Amino acid sequence: MRYTITAALLYANGPAHIGHLAGCYIPADIYARYLRAKNHDVLFVSGSDEHGVPITIRAEKEGLTPQQVVDKYHSIIKKSFEEFGISFDIYSRTSKKVHHTTSSDFFTTLNNKKQLLVQKSEQYFDDIRNKFLQDRYIVGECPKCNNPNAFGDQCEKCGSTLSPSELINPRSALSNATPILKETSHWYLPLQEAEKWLKEWILETHQSDWKTNVYGQCKSWLEQGLQARAVTRDLEWGVPVPLADTDGKVLYVWFEAPIGYISATKDYFEEKNEPVDNYKKYWQDENTKLIHFIGKDNIVFHCIIFPTMLKLHGDFILPTNVPANEFLNLEGNKISTSRNWAVWLHEYLVDFPEKQDVLRYVLTANAPEQKDNDFTWKDFQAKNNNELVATLGNFINRAFVLSEKYTDNKVPQLFDLEQIDKDLLQNLQEIPTKIENSIENYRFKEALNFYMELARIGNKYMQDTAPWQLAKDLEKNKNRIDTILHLSLQLVANLAILGEPFLPFTAKKINQLLNIDAQKWEKAGKIDILTPNHSIQKASLLFAKIEDIEIQKQIDKLENSKKQNELENYTPENIKKEINFDDFSKIDIRIGTIKTAEKVAKTKKLLKLSIDIGIETRTVVSGIAEHFLPENIIGQQVCLIANLAPRAMQGIESQGMILMAEDADGKLKFVAPNEIVKNGVTVK
RNA sequence: GGCGAGGUAGCUCAGAUGGUUAGAGCGUUGGAUUCAUAACCCAAAGGUCACGGGUUCGACUCCCGUCCUCGCUACCA
């Protein structure tokens, strides 16, 4: 069988972290290594996704060109993956020429086949720079809070989501020119036309073999109805649209990025100096299985959009399966690149040298296969000390130490088998099949558990046969000891074969200790891997205990970087333009007391408050529902802007606005007098 | 708000088409052992399977409702 295995293209605007590894790259790697060991034809591809707006923004922030940004992160990411033993056949990147030609050819094919719609719309345009402007590149005064430097998509001061047309006095961030609306054309992928076959393909033919989370998410999308999606946009950083008169237009990243898997495959053959057309075997042959490993945020692209593109193109196979994982949390909180709440791979490699397999083990054992999962350093330590050291490492070590003592570092002969030996062989034969089943069904956690069961069986076998007891009468029991150690060492050899997909570095070390080459999977379950009298190495530990102090260091590091980040991210806002006293005195601020509070139906953030301001009771709708429970704020005194023009929100007229202080972490606090005062008193 | 996924022992998770005393690993407690990084082996304790109804001879497993977590989406700040 031939397999094309893809792991999500990682967006190159930051380094890779444990969430990436756990959600996508480790399962993909286990799968790829396993299939290779089974002698399948496997091509395992991935790469960096290097286009799109966030990278241009990052470039601006860091004072670099977009290319410099992606060069920087691409090399960090690539190196991390290499060091973790992710066995890509190629880790490519979308800024490569091969990708530009592949993705623009793809677009051209769809366009020539009349599979794309063209639609005209009006977009903001900078006359001076002669460029269309992304929302982000239009600045102006925020209509909500009057921040003069709000962006066209969002005001960073008040957090409002905006559209460029709402800005007061909008100007281009590039030239300060006033943006003008100009007509532009864009190409669209008519997803709605694919609905019918997608429903059949996914909902009918993949109900039982796709994971429930993946299937459910697809169902949700398909039942909501699909809409045409723009394939192009006005931007400079990306793959140029390969048509006349399309200067300043590029392919939208979501369209172009997944084609990166195909480009990467071509890149692989180019690098090997083989005919590039070999890629077709992996993408266009019905006998090839295409498997996409991704995180759950990518389900719609890999199950609906990319397959639609492939189908419309016509030459390509569709994915056999898309085993998406859920998310990994870190110490109870979501991993966040921007808030620096993450364990970065390149840092882990420095802090825990030679411990790639430890992280691989922990992330596999704790993989978010069915639901979001939590990574904690304490658990990391426990799994290392109690499982890798105490169970796996210990068994292998016992086998070597005993061989050193009783058989002179040689594989002894096998003599008559007793029942306990036969039981051991039975188990040994069954476990590889169990592991195979689990891996082939993308249940890597379960597979790893079966693997560890074998080590436990080994420990028990040793405990039950107790060769050290027999050694008290060495003359009499020599053959028995030989048999036990022979079997134990064969078991160790099996642990190398079966462990290779999960713990490649350890598997390699075991083979070195045994003085043998890596064995193919078909040898698993057998006891003829080592021949009698074969010399093996002296015992040497495979895993080391991890002490509390190392773990504490990591926890502290996390807390510190979080704190530091909060501090760095907080800069007091600039003082607004000067006003005179008259302006100020126009504002009528009164103290009032919240009498009732209730959540506004169908909203997340709004509370409907009634506030007693002495003279009367006002109804105020306020966006504080995410910060306070209604019942907890009854009786709270607040400052109310009493002469603000009423405004209807969700059908409720809000008669005023209450003043809130926003802390650096975004939490809102009431502004109130330090002692209770009479309702209706003024604030001056 | 709509849709999707999840809520099972202290922790992390399994539990095909409903059926005898609900499972694993780790942790805890007790015992045994010394070849081994106080590791290993044996045993025990621990769960009203989120909550409330219903279907059924029988439900963790099916149906309805409620609550909580996560994601997508909508709306709103």
Side-chain angles (χ1 to χ4, degrees):
Chain A
M1 198 69 203
R2 190 184 303 114
Y3 288 86
T4 303
I5 300 171
T6 75
L9 297 177
L10 189 55
Y11 202 57
N13 73 335
H17 56 63
I18 54 170
H20 297 127
L21 221 45
C24 172
Y25 301 95
I26 285 181
D29 187 54
I30 292 171
Y31 196 68
R33 284 175 180 271
Y34 163 75
L35 290 175
R36 287 193 197 104
K38 292 267 283 185
N39 282 324
H40 290 295
D41 179 0
V42 172
L43 194 76
F44 180 21
V45 304
S46 187
S48 296
D49 173 9
E50 306 185 307
H51 296 132
V53 177
I55 281 170
T56 62
I57 291 171
R58 182 119 203 168
E60 240 165 68
K61 252 189 199 161
E62 299 190 10
L64 301 168
T65 64
Q67 187 63 50
Q68 285 170 322
V69 168
V70 298
D71 284 351
K72 173 177 157 189
Y73 291 116
H74 173 76
S75 67
I76 294 175
I77 293 167
K78 184 165 192 258
K79 190 163 168 252
S80 295
F81 284 152
E82 267 166 25
E83 291 190 29
F84 269 101
I86 307 298
S87 60
F88 298 126
D89 291 296
I90 183 154
Y91 187 80
S92 189
R93 53 193 306 193
T94 61
S95 60
K96 273 203 165 185
K97 190 168 167 252
V98 62
H99 176 66
H100 279 239
T101 53
T102 305
S103 52
S104 48
D105 287 353
F106 200 107
F107 175 89
T108 305
T109 303
L110 292 191
N111 197 42
N112 289 346
K113 289 180 84 174
K114 304 259 183 281
Q115 300 289 11
L116 299 177
L117 310 169
V118 187
Q119 268 176 29
K120 290 189 171 154
S121 63
E122 293 204 314
Q123 299 276 318
Y124 283 97
F125 186 78
D126 180 331
D127 242 354
I128 295 177
R129 292 293 186 88
N130 204 30
K131 263 189 187 173
F132 280 97
L133 295 167
Q134 300 300 317
D135 293 355
R136 192 82 194 170
Y137 285 91
I138 300 169
V139 290
E141 188 178 328
C142 173
K144 314 251 160 77
C145 75
N146 298 324
N147 164 24
N149 295 312
F151 295 109
D153 55 348
Q154 192 187 28
C155 170
E156 296 206 326
K157 202 162 209 173
C158 66
S160 308
T161 304
L162 303 171
S163 75
S165 57
E166 291 178 78
L167 291 176
I168 300 164
N169 297 323
R171 59 185 194 278
S172 162
L174 302 174
S175 66
N176 276 330
T178 304
I180 53 169
L181 277 173
K182 190 170 164 178
E183 190 170 78
T184 179
S185 300
H186 283 290
W187 282 257
Y188 289 77
L189 186 70
L191 286 169
Q192 70 282 7
E193 290 170 16
E195 244 178 66
K196 193 166 167 254
W197 75 263
L198 279 171
K199 276 185 179 162
E200 272 176 34
W201 177 56
I202 298 174
L203 301 184
E204 283 166 37
T205 68
H206 287 301
Q207 180 155 28
S208 56
D209 63 331
W210 284 15
K211 291 172 66 168
T212 51
N213 57 338
V214 175
Y215 181 86
Q217 190 65 60
C218 291
K219 197 173 161 203
S220 168
W221 276 86
L222 288 170
E223 282 173 1
Q224 275 176 43
L226 302 175
Q227 288 173 355
R229 247 183 118 103
V231 166
T232 58
R233 65 187 319 199
D234 296 300
L235 188 72
E236 288 195 340
W237 180 240
V239 178
V241 174
L243 294 172
D245 298 323
T246 56
D247 280 1
K249 288 188 198 301
V250 295
L251 302 179
Y252 218 140
V253 265
W254 66 258
F255 176 83
E256 155 258 296
I259 299 172
Y261 298 133
I262 303 170
S263 321
T265 310
K266 290 185 180 174
D267 192 12
Y268 169 76
F269 287 110
E270 270 179 12
E271 300 263 307
K272 280 184 68 178
N273 284 319
E274 287 183 24
V276 170
D277 269 3
N278 280 356
Y279 88 90
K280 289 183 178 168
K281 277 199 308 189
Y282 292 91
W283 284 94
Q284 303 187 351
D285 182 338
E286 287 299 331
N287 294 318
T288 297
K289 285 191 177 178
L290 172 61
I291 315 285
H292 294 307
F293 284 87
I294 53 168
K296 67 172 162 184
D297 51 333
N298 250 324
I299 290 174
V300 64
F301 293 107
H302 289 78
C303 297
I304 292 181
I305 297 176
F306 190 43
T308 301
M309 290 162 55
L310 294 171
K311 180 100 170 174
L312 289 177
H313 184 289
D315 292 343
F316 291 93
I317 54 171
L318 298 179
T320 303
N321 210 327
V322 185
N325 269 348
E326 302 285 302
F327 283 156
L328 186 72
N329 293 325
L330 171 59
E331 301 283 354
N333 292 307
K334 270 183 229 182
I335 294 178
S336 160
T337 299
S338 59
R339 285 186 296 120
N340 202 11
W341 187 255
V343 177
W344 304 106
L345 301 190
H346 63 289
E347 293 185 0
Y348 174 91
L349 289 163
V350 173
D351 292 348
F352 295 99
E354 306 293 310
K355 289 201 194 301
Q356 288 93 323
D357 275 351
V358 176
L359 190 60
R360 286 182 64 117
Y361 178 82
V362 173
L363 294 180
T364 305
N366 203 14
E369 285 179 0
Q370 327 249 6
K371 59 179 179 186
D372 289 359
N373 251 345
D374 199 24
F375 175 94
T376 64
W377 279 110
K378 236 186 94 212
D379 182 59
F380 170 84
Q381 180 190 27
K383 285 203 161 63
N384 177 75
N385 293 355
N386 305 328
E387 298 177 33
L388 288 176
V389 173
T391 304
L392 179 61
N394 185 38
F395 169 66
I396 294 169
N397 188 239
R398 293 169 92 180
F400 276 93
V401 168
L402 290 170
S403 299
E404 208 173 312
K405 284 197 171 155
Y406 306 129
T407 72
D408 198 22
N409 287 315
K410 289 205 164 62
V411 176
Q413 296 272 345
L414 185 66
F415 294 94
D416 294 341
L417 294 184
E418 294 184 2
Q419 188 55 44
I420 191 167
D421 308 324
K422 291 177 186 162
D423 291 346
L424 178 76
L425 295 188
Q426 167 98 24
N427 277 320
L428 177 60
Q429 274 164 21
E430 285 171 4
I431 283 191
T433 316
K434 290 182 182 172
I435 294 178
E436 287 171 29
N437 272 327
S438 298
I439 293 182
E440 285 168 18
N441 287 298
Y442 313 102
R443 294 198 294 256
F444 303 106
K445 236 194 250 206
E446 186 180 78
L448 184 64
N449 208 24
F450 285 131
Y451 174 71
M452 289 303 282
E453 193 179 312
L454 191 57
R456 276 180 220 112
I457 287 166
N459 273 320
K460 181 166 169 51
Y461 175 72
M462 225 162 232
Q463 196 67 27
D464 292 346
T465 55
W468 54 91
Q469 293 279 13
L470 299 171
K472 288 175 182 165
D473 190 347
L474 205 51
E475 301 261 314
K476 181 180 154 211
N477 294 323
K478 181 74 178 99
N479 288 1
R480 185 63 196 141
I481 294 175
D482 280 358
T483 299
I484 293 166
L485 291 181
H486 178 96
L487 290 175
S488 297
L489 289 170
Q490 299 287 8
L491 195 59
V492 171
N494 271 276
L495 285 169
I497 299 172
L498 298 171
E500 201 272 344
F502 312 100
L503 309 170
F505 298 93
T506 302
K508 197 173 164 195
K509 277 190 216 157
I510 296 173
N511 285 329
Q512 281 168 357
L513 288 173
L514 290 172
N515 274 335
I516 57 172
D517 293 328
Q519 307 287 307
K520 278 290 177 184
W521 192 271
E522 62 194 18
K523 281 280 182 187
K526 305 209 166 127
I527 53 164
D528 61 353
I529 301 165
L530 302 167
T531 49
N533 227 24
H534 171 79
S535 285
I536 58 172
Q537 300 290 320
K538 284 190 156 189
S540 144
L541 297 175
L542 292 169
F543 300 100
K545 282 204 157 194
I546 295 174
E547 302 298 332
D548 291 349
I549 186 166
E550 291 177 79
I551 292 304
Q552 196 52 47
K553 240 163 81 183
Q554 291 300 323
I555 295 172
D556 292 346
K557 182 173 170 180
L558 264 179
E559 288 299 335
N560 285 339
S561 68
K562 189 185 182 187
K563 267 184 207 150
Q564 200 172 356
N565 226 277
E566 274 171 10
L567 286 175
E568 276 173 16
N569 280 349
Y570 181 71
T571 43
E573 292 171 8
N574 293 329
I575 305 294
K576 287 183 191 169
K577 213 171 74 186
E578 187 177 288
I579 58 171
N580 56 38
F581 183 75
D582 271 1
D583 290 331
F584 170 72
S585 61
K586 285 178 190 163
I587 304 173
D588 191 337
I589 307 174
R590 300 296 177 109
I591 298 299
T593 300
I594 299 176
K595 290 295 178 192
T596 66
E598 60 181 283
K599 228 173 145 190
V600 179
K602 301 188 185 187
T603 67
K604 243 183 208 168
K605 302 190 177 178
L606 297 186
L607 285 189
K608 179 182 169 189
L609 310 172
S610 60
I611 298 173
D612 179 357
I613 53 167
I615 316 149
E616 59 193 34
T617 297
R618 294 285 186 92
T619 297
V620 172
V621 178
S622 181
I624 58 172
E626 288 180 323
H627 302 272
F628 301 97
L629 290 172
E631 61 268 29
N632 290 347
I633 58 171
I634 310 283
Q636 170 74 42
Q637 281 205 317
V638 295
C639 294
L640 180 88
I641 314 278
N643 61 340
L644 189 69
R647 181 184 166 140
M649 281 188 268
Q650 285 295 111
I652 303 165
E653 182 173 274
S654 183
Q655 305 157 326
M657 186 173 97
I658 59 173
L659 297 184
M660 304 297 295
E662 186 178 7
D663 206 353
D665 58 6
K667 295 234 170 76
L668 298 180
K669 315 280 171 184
F670 287 105
V671 176
N674 66 333
E675 285 174 40
I676 300 293
V677 299
K678 236 180 156 58
N679 286 332
V681 302
T682 58
V683 177
K684 293 179 185 175

